[in-house]
Each structure stands twice: as structure tokens, then as C-alpha cells.
């Protein structure tokens, strides 16, 4: 399905323009109102990462502040939690995605172990496992691209700071498998992952914010290249939303925030799993 009027009416976006960014929440709702029911599912999939963060926050504190960009509300999480405590099994009619439900079921199982992986990374792995099954080729490629970038950056950081990178890699695609199994300097990715050298150079950047900017610039370029000929398709709308997500993030990101994120990452690696269920 093509969206001629909708796409033609969207203002141009530039990677350095963060001042005139539209409200992500409002834009998301506008798109959901305009696209088909099937395409709306793809739009919502882009915002599932906010649901992941919201759910983890909810499990720690029911009064935690939610990101408004997520698809699910605290009531949605409360509903699935109540249902599971009554009968711990997947609720197929729930609005809560199956991968989140499976994650929560695991937290209720006293015999289940995250095997040294943080709950955040475990849930991320479940998310990617689900997202990579989408039938939309563009979105599937996008999630795969992000998974590979995140895994490679994580592996390089782990190796630099003396942590076991094999425990921090999520997902089970070819790149993830190579990173886990290889002890080579390049994790066996030269010739297997076309973006290896670019990302490896970015990983050497000592300035945390500059590193983040370079990663987002790479993602921006990828989005442009992979939708160049998709003029009025749902893919153009998805790209627009993804770019707004990036620009909105840069509106609030600061040096202090970047440093905090990095410290939290290292602490998480050191401490392992500390996760309380409610």
C-alpha cells in the first residue's frame, strides 16, 4: 500500500537538526491513524523497545515513570501479571507480546537461570528473536543490522575491559554465533560482516558522545540506502519514525548522560544478574 499524501506532507529531516523535531508520541499516533491495520503492526514494532524498558522498570517499581513512546500501559502489564499469578501460562489474547510474556514466565520460574546475562540483555535477545521473524524485509534487515552493531560494540568493550563477551552477546544469528565462538582479534567477522571495519574504528573513539553520533550517522546512512527507491511505501514512514527517534534522543543526551550510561554498562557486567520479581 502506498501513502502518497501522507509521505508528501512530511517535512524534510536532517541528521543535525534536533531543534525542530516533531513530538515522537504525536507523530506515532498520527501514523497509526493513517496507515492500514497491517502496517500499523509494523509501526508499533518500532516502539517495542520502549515497552521493553517500561516493563523492566515496572517489575522493579510499579510506580516507575513510563516512557510515553511505548505501546503498552501500566494497566497492560498489571493485567498480564495478575493473569500469570493465577495461571502461569502464555496469554494468547493479551496485547502484551509473546516474547515479553515468555520473559516474565521465566522470572517466575525459580529453577530458571539467566546464566550470567543481565535481564535487560536477555529481554533484548527475546525481542530480536521475535522481531527478526517479521515478514517485512526492510524491518527484518534493520533489526538484524542493529543487533549486529550492538553485539560487536559490546564484544569489543568486553574484551577491552576484561569481561567475558560470550555472555553479553544476544541473539542467535550468524554474526552473534561467530562472535561467541571466535577468539580471533576480529571475532571472525572480516569478510562475513561488511560493516565490521567501520564499526571497529568507531569503537576506538574515546569520546562517548562522538562515538554515539558516529553510530547514529552510520544507521542514518543505512536507512537512506535501503529505502532509496521506496518512495511512498510504509518503509518510508518507518524510516521517518526511526529518524525522529534518533533526533529526539539527541535532544536530551548530554556528556553526563553518556558517561552515566557507560558506567552503568560496566557495573552491569561486573555485578552480573541482580533482578527482583514482584
Amino acid at each position: 500500500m502506498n501513502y502518497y499524501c501522507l509521505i508528501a506532507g512530511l517535512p524534510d529531516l536532517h541528521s543535525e537538526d534536533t531543534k525542530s523535531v516533531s513530538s515522537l508520541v504525536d507523530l506515532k499516533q498520527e501514523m497509526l491513524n493513517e496507515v492500514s491495520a497491517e502496517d500499523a503492526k509494523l509501526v508499533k514494532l518500532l516502539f517495542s523497545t520502549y515497552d521493553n524498558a517500561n516493563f523492566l522498570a515496572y517489575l522493579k517499581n510499579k510506580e516507575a515513570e513510563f516512557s510515553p513512546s511505548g505501546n503498552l500501559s501500566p494497566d497492560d502489564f498489571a493485567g498480564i501479571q495478575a493473569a500469570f499469578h493465577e495461571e502461569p501460562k502464555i496469554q494468547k489474547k493479551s496485547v502484551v507480546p509473546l516474547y515479553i510474556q515468555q520473559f516474565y514466565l521465566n522470572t517466575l520460574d525459580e529453577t530458571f537461570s539467566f546464566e550470567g546475562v543481565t535481564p535487560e540483555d536477555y529481554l533484548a535477545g527475546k525481542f530480536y528473536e521475535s522481531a527478526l521473524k517479521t515478514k517485512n524485509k526492510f524491518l527484518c534487515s534493520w533489526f538484524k543490522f542493529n543487533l549486529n552493531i550492538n553485539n560487536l560494540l559490546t564484544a569489543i568493550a568486553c574484551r577491552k575491559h576484561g569481561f567475558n563477551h560470550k555472555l553479553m552477546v544476544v541473539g542467535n544469528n550468524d554474526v552473534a554465533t561467530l562472535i561467541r565462538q571466535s577468539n580471533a582479534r576480529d571475532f571472525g567477522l572480516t569478510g562475513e560482516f561488511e560493516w565490521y571495519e567501520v564499526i571497529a574504528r568507531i569503537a576506538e573513539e574515546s569520546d562517548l558522545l562522538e562515538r554515539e553520533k558516529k553510530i547514529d550517522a552510520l544507521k542514518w546512512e543505512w536507512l537512506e540506502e535501503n529505502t532509496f527507491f521506496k518512495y511512498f511505501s510504509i518503509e518510508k514512514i518507518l524510516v521517518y519514525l526511526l529518524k525522529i527517534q534518533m533526533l529526539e534522543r539527541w535532544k536530551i543526551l548530554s556528556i553526563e548522560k553518556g558517561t552515566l550510561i557507560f558506567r552503568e554498562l560496566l557495573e552491569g557486567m561486573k555485578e552480573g544478574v541482580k533482578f527482583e520479581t514482584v
Side-chain angles (χ1 to χ4, degrees), residues 16-276:
E16 298 298 323
D17 182 16
T18 59
K19 294 182 179 180
S20 59
V21 177
S22 304
S23 165
L24 180 60
V25 176
D26 292 343
L27 185 61
K28 169 193 171 185
Q29 192 56 52
E30 178 184 349
M31 297 305 174
L32 289 175
N33 291 337
E34 295 292 337
V35 302
S36 69
E38 283 302 308
D39 288 342
K41 294 178 183 178
L42 301 179
V43 171
K44 288 183 176 181
L45 183 57
L46 289 186
F47 293 84
S48 293
T49 52
Y50 297 97
D51 291 325
N52 296 345
N54 283 343
F55 186 60
L56 289 168
Y58 176 84
L59 288 180
K60 294 177 181 178
N61 177 11
K62 291 184 179 180
E63 304 302 321
E65 183 177 353
F66 265 40
S67 168
S69 298
N71 302 307
L72 305 171
S73 70
D75 287 342
D76 293 326
F77 292 144
I80 201 67
Q81 190 178 59
F84 278 13
H85 279 288
E86 182 176 329
E87 185 176 8
K89 69 175 185 179
I90 295 294
Q91 306 293 313
K92 295 183 178 179
K93 294 183 178 181
S94 172
V95 296
V96 178
L98 296 182
Y99 75 89
I100 291 182
Q101 292 191 46
Q102 185 60 59
F103 169 83
Y104 185 52
L105 278 175
N106 290 341
T107 69
L108 297 177
D109 184 354
E110 295 181 357
T111 65
F112 180 81
S113 171
F114 286 102
E115 298 180 347
V117 179
T118 65
E120 289 79 5
D121 284 345
Y122 185 82
L123 181 56
K126 284 292 185 183
F127 165 71
Y128 278 114
E129 182 182 329
S130 175
L132 289 174
K133 294 177 182 178
T134 180
K135 294 181 180 179
N136 182 277
K137 293 182 179 180
F138 163 75
L139 266 193
C140 186
S141 296
W142 167 252
F143 287 125
K144 182 179 180 181
F145 181 59
N146 278 266
L147 175 63
N148 291 341
I149 289 177
N150 294 340
N151 276 336
L152 180 53
L153 288 174
T154 297
I156 292 174
C158 284
R159 179 176 284 176
K160 180 178 180 180
H161 294 281
F163 300 117
N164 185 354
H165 69 272
K166 297 179 181 180
L167 294 177
M168 304 299 171
V169 173
V170 303
N172 296 295
N173 67 344
D174 292 344
V175 170
T177 300
L178 280 172
I179 293 175
R180 285 196 188 95
Q181 294 179 348
S182 177
N183 292 317
R185 182 176 180 277
D186 65 351
F187 302 100
L189 295 178
T190 300
E192 298 295 330
F193 179 40
E194 62 177 308
W195 298 98
Y196 167 74
E197 292 185 2
V198 174
I199 296 170
R201 286 197 299 269
I202 292 175
E204 295 174 359
E205 174 61 58
S206 58
D207 186 304
L208 297 178
L209 281 184
E210 190 62 28
R211 187 191 309 173
E212 286 293 309
K213 287 180 179 179
K214 289 180 178 179
I215 288 296
D216 275 0
L218 178 63
K219 292 179 179 180
W220 194 286
E221 179 183 352
W222 188 95
L223 290 171
E224 292 282 345
E225 291 180 354
N226 283 269
T227 54
F228 187 79
F229 294 108
K230 298 181 182 296
Y231 302 109
F232 298 100
S233 64
I234 183 60
E235 285 78 10
K236 278 292 186 184
I237 293 175
L238 298 175
V239 165
Y240 196 87
L241 288 168
L242 287 166
K243 288 180 176 179
I244 290 291
Q245 286 182 354
M246 280 190 263
L247 293 176
E248 188 175 79
R249 187 167 71 97
W250 281 106
K251 285 175 63 177
I252 61 174
L253 198 59
S254 63
I255 294 177
E256 291 78 12
K257 181 65 174 178
T259 302
L260 177 61
I261 292 172
F262 188 68
R263 286 176 179 170
E264 288 177 347
L265 172 65
L266 291 182
E267 287 303 316
M269 292 175 180
K270 292 177 182 177
E271 295 178 7
V273 178
K274 289 185 178 180
F275 192 70
E276 296 180 0

